[in-house]
Amino acid sequence: MKKTWRDIRIRVFGAGWWFYMILMIVFLVLVTLTGRSLSVERKRLFLLGLSILEYLILRIYKFNLKDIREDYNYFNELPCYLCNQSTILCVVGAYILNPVIMSHCVSVGTLGAFLALTMPDRYNRDQLLFSRQAFGFYGYHALLVITCLAFYTTGLYDPKPADAIWPMVITFVLACTAHLINLFLRKTGLNPIANYVFTYDPDNPVFAMLYKRFPVSLFYLLPILPVIGLLSLILFTIL
C-alpha cells in the first residue's frame, strides 16, 4: 500500500522533521520582516502577543496529553521544564523589556528548544506527522525558537558580550527551583517520577552522558553552566 503524508512518522533529520523545520524558518522570516518595521512599543506588543500565543499553545498541548498518554499525570505537566520556563520568561521579557531576561531567551531559550527538536524524549520519537502529539511537541518548540530569536531579529534586544553571564545565572536558579519542585512532588507522592529540567536520571542523551560520569542529582548539571556561558558569549559576540 502506498504511503501518504498522513503515514509519515517524524524522525530527526527525516522528511517529517524537515517539514516542521522549514515551517519554522518561514515563520521566523515572516515574524522578522513584520517586526523590523515597527516602533519599539509596537515591537514590544508584537512580541508580547507572540509569547502569549506560544504559552497558550503550550497549555493546550499539555491539556490534550491526558487524552493521548495512558500514564498522564497533571503534576508531570506543570510548566517547569526548561523550555516551558523559557516560554514564561518570553512573556515577562516582552512585557517589561528586561535585557537580562531577553538575553536568556535569545540564548538558552533558543538552544533548549532546538535541542528538544533534535533530541526528542522517548514520548515524542516516531510520532505521526499530523498527530496531536506531533503538532503539540514539534509545533510548540518550533514556535519557541521563533519567539526567542525574534527578540533579536526584530531589533527589540541588542545582545552584548557582557550579557553572556546572565543566561548562566538564570539557568542555575531555574534548575535549583525545578529540583526543589521535584523533591516536593516526589516526597508528597503527587508525582513519584518528577524530573523537571532532568535534575534526576535524565532521558536526554547529552544529560545522560553527564549523569553516568557524575551520578549526583542536580549537581551533575554544573558542567553545563560554563558551556552555556561560553555559547552565549560566542552568540552575543557574533550578533
Side-chain angles (χ1 to χ4, degrees):
M1 185 176 178
K2 187 177 180 180
K3 282 189 175 182
T4 66
W5 276 92
R6 293 185 178 183
D7 301 317
I8 293 178
R9 292 189 175 274
I10 302 174
R11 297 180 177 88
V12 177
F13 302 124
W17 186 83
W18 277 112
F19 172 80
Y20 280 97
M21 295 306 101
I22 291 171
L23 281 180
M24 179 183 74
I25 293 170
V26 169
F27 277 101
L28 176 59
V29 171
L30 291 175
V31 167
T32 300
L33 293 176
T34 302
R36 274 283 182 185
S37 60
L38 301 176
S39 65
V40 173
E41 177 60 16
R42 287 184 179 275
K43 285 179 183 178
R44 185 186 74 83
L45 294 175
F46 180 57
L47 263 294
L48 180 60
L50 188 62
S51 300
I52 292 174
L53 173 64
E54 175 194 323
Y55 181 76
L56 291 175
I57 289 175
L58 169 65
R59 298 318 305 163
I60 292 171
Y61 163 54
K62 294 292 187 180
F63 179 79
N64 273 279
L65 285 178
K66 72 180 192 306
D67 299 323
I68 298 173
R69 292 186 187 172
E70 294 181 357
D71 61 346
Y72 176 84
N73 181 342
Y74 174 81
F75 292 101
N76 196 45
E77 303 302 337
L78 301 175
C80 299
Y81 293 102
L82 185 60
C83 289
N84 300 170
Q85 294 169 347
S86 294
T87 296
I88 294 173
L89 288 177
C90 281
V91 176
V92 177
Y95 185 72
I96 65 176
L97 288 185
N98 184 291
V100 171
I101 295 176
M102 290 190 289
S103 70
H104 177 85
C105 295
V106 172
S107 57
V108 176
T110 302
L111 178 61
F114 190 71
L115 285 177
L117 290 168
T118 54
M119 292 185 289
D121 60 26
R122 64 181 182 276
Y123 293 109
N124 294 293
R125 297 168 193 157
D126 210 36
Q127 290 291 334
L128 287 170
L129 181 63
F130 296 122
S131 65
R132 284 188 294 171
Q133 181 83 5
F135 273 127
F137 181 81
Y138 293 95
Y140 159 69
H141 284 94
L143 183 57
L144 180 57
V145 170
I146 294 168
T147 306
C148 288
L149 282 178
F151 281 98
Y152 165 70
T153 62
T154 61
L156 192 61
Y157 168 63
D158 181 21
K160 299 175 177 58
D163 294 342
I165 189 174
W166 296 118
M168 186 168 57
V169 172
I170 292 175
T171 300
F172 176 73
V173 172
L174 292 176
C176 290
T177 303
H179 190 62
L180 291 176
I181 294 172
N182 290 335
L183 286 172
F184 173 77
L185 293 175
R186 287 180 177 226
K187 290 292 184 181
T188 57
L190 293 173
N191 183 10
I193 60 171
N195 194 19
Y196 293 114
V197 194
F198 301 118
T199 63
Y200 286 95
D201 188 13
D203 180 61
N204 181 283
V206 174
F207 288 2
M209 179 183 68
L210 290 173
Y211 189 80
K212 185 176 181 180
R213 293 178 179 274
F214 186 52
V216 180
S217 300
L218 179 63
F219 291 100
Y220 86 91
L221 292 170
L222 289 176
I224 292 179
L225 295 178
V227 174
I228 289 174
L230 179 59
L231 290 176
S232 298
L233 178 61
I234 294 172
L235 179 65
F236 293 168
T237 300
I238 295 173
L239 299 179

